[in-house]
Structure formats: C-alpha cells, structure tokens
Amino acid sequence: QVQLVESGGGSVQAGGSLTLSCAASGFTYAHYCMGFFRQAPDREREGVAVVNSDDSISYRDTVEGRFTISKDNAKNTLYLQMNNLRPEDTAMYYCVADMEYCGVSEYEWTYWGQGTQVTVS
C-alpha cells in the first residue's frame, strides 16, 4: 500500500525558513516522479517542485531560487527546503508521487499525502 506522509509544516514570519519532509512507503521510491503541490484558500492547487526518477528537477517560477527539492533514496524521503518565505507561500503543501507522470497537472498524479500546513505572516 502506497503511503506518503508529510511533516515539517508550521508558522513562520516572512523571510524565515522551513523544511518539509515526505516519508514514502509501499513502492520503489527511486523509480517514481516525486514532488510537492500546494493549495491556498480559494485558490487552485499548483505544482511547486518536482524531481524525476532521473533526478532532473523543475520549480515553479515564483519559488525558484528560494526552494530546494531533494530526495534521499536510502531513506525513501523527499524534502523541500523553503527559504525566504513570503506570505503568498501560505498554503497546504502536499507530497505527490507517480510512476510515469512528472508534470504540472494535479489531475495526473496518482498518489497524494494528507498535507501539511505552512503559514507565513
């Protein structure tokens, strides 16, 4: 059974940092595309950062240079280091995984975590 469990969310002031973690189980982690999406109140869910099985990475324009996605295959864990946080980064952040899809459409990702809240004031 595939499980994605996020942690590390919280409340910070603008300019602060947080690191989100996503512990994955039930599948061969290294063979999957992994990423983070987010959803703010009254807004559509949007892709934040994605890392492919070949370790290629892509970021949303508004977070590039501030956020860093990485994965530890030995620990089956995905990380999102978020620096210089802004109030507009406030959202529920979700970990996603898919064996084939690695793009920006939320509808194509197969597996989702339960989410972790990030609030920037």
Side-chain angles (χ1 to χ4, degrees):
Q1 181 181 359
V2 172
Q3 277 195 314
L4 301 172
V5 180
E6 302 96 334
S7 60
S11 297
V12 296
Q13 292 188 338
S17 298
L18 284 172
T19 299
L20 305 184
S21 299
C22 172
S25 61
F27 62 101
T28 307
Y29 174 81
H31 296 169
Y32 276 60
C33 281
M34 304 285 297
F36 284 94
F37 273 66
R38 68 185 180 186
Q39 187 169 24
D42 300 322
R43 297 193 64 176
E44 292 186 355
R45 204 170 288 186
E46 60 186 25
V48 176
V50 169
V51 53
N52 207 326
S53 55
D54 64 1
D55 291 336
S56 60
I57 290 173
S58 61
Y59 295 99
R60 184 173 196 81
D61 287 348
T62 54
V63 308
E64 190 150 19
R66 300 187 297 121
F67 290 11
T68 303
I69 191 170
S70 62
K71 59 179 185 176
D72 185 330
N73 289 340
K75 295 183 178 179
N76 279 11
T77 301
L78 184 72
Y79 302 98
L80 185 68
Q81 172 69 43
M82 305 184 294
N83 297 326
N84 192 21
L85 282 160
R86 304 168 180 169
E88 54 264 39
D89 295 317
T90 296
M92 184 72 78
Y93 283 71
Y94 298 91
C95 179
V96 295
D98 196 276
M99 184 180 289
E100 295 180 350
Y101 186 71
C102 213
V104 299
S105 172
E106 64 173 297
Y107 303 106
E108 300 293 330
W109 290 86
T110 303
Y111 302 109
W112 290 75
Q114 83 288 351
T116 186
Q117 178 68 37
V118 171
T119 303
V120 185
S121 58

